[in-house]
Amino acid sequence: VLVKGQMPNDVFIATLAADPFYNQQTLEKAVYILQATHFSEVKISACKRMIDLVQASQKEQIDEEADFGDVPDEFLDPLMCTLMRDPVVLPTSGQVCDRATMLSHLLSDQTDPFNRA
């Protein structure tokens, strides 16, 4: 995740925060392992900072969704039932879903989730 000691960009942080499979405890455990193996303190601090950024982004997203209240169904991602922030049209099914959701799906399955094409 950390490339040459640089923090990931805001889009990556927001996507990670919105990912339903993100688990903060897993990253905290990774930091613990890095500390136990005497990994570079600079990189350990960067990992801790990334955890903080993701946590802040999650809170921001929750607050933003609460501000919107009831959202019409056409603005909700059909796979995750969350507000779409970056809607995309899938080429084979024509369905609209959030880009972050689709990217997460494509990590494990290279097909359109609506028609498996």
Side-chain angles (χ1 to χ4, degrees):
V1 172
L2 299 174
V3 180
K4 297 181 184 175
Q6 296 178 350
M7 290 302 298
N9 65 29
D10 292 341
V11 174
F12 178 82
I13 295 292
T15 301
L16 189 58
D19 189 331
F21 300 107
Y22 169 74
N23 185 330
Q24 182 175 334
Q25 288 79 18
T26 302
L27 283 182
E28 289 170 348
K29 191 180 291 186
V31 167
Y32 175 78
I33 292 169
L34 292 175
Q35 289 171 327
T37 58
H38 307 292
F39 211 75
S40 163
E41 192 58 43
V42 171
K43 291 188 179 182
I44 292 171
S45 295
C47 286
K48 289 179 181 178
R49 175 77 178 125
M50 187 182 77
I51 292 169
D52 293 341
L53 289 172
V54 172
Q55 193 172 24
S57 182
Q58 284 177 323
K59 183 182 179 334
E60 183 180 302
Q61 290 175 11
I62 289 168
D63 291 346
E64 189 175 290
E65 283 203 34
D67 289 344
F68 284 118
D70 287 334
V71 177
D73 287 345
E74 61 265 18
F75 296 116
L76 294 177
D77 180 87
L79 296 173
M80 301 304 296
C81 292
T82 57
L83 179 66
M84 289 189 284
R85 299 182 190 312
D86 187 9
V88 294
V89 177
L90 303 179
T92 57
S93 66
Q95 291 286 327
V96 177
C97 69
D98 192 56
R99 183 181 307 271
T101 302
M102 202 53 224
L103 289 173
S104 179
H105 169 78
L106 290 173
L107 290 173
S108 62
D109 188 349
Q110 299 295 312
T111 62
D112 184 320
F114 296 97
N115 63 10
R116 297 291 178 201

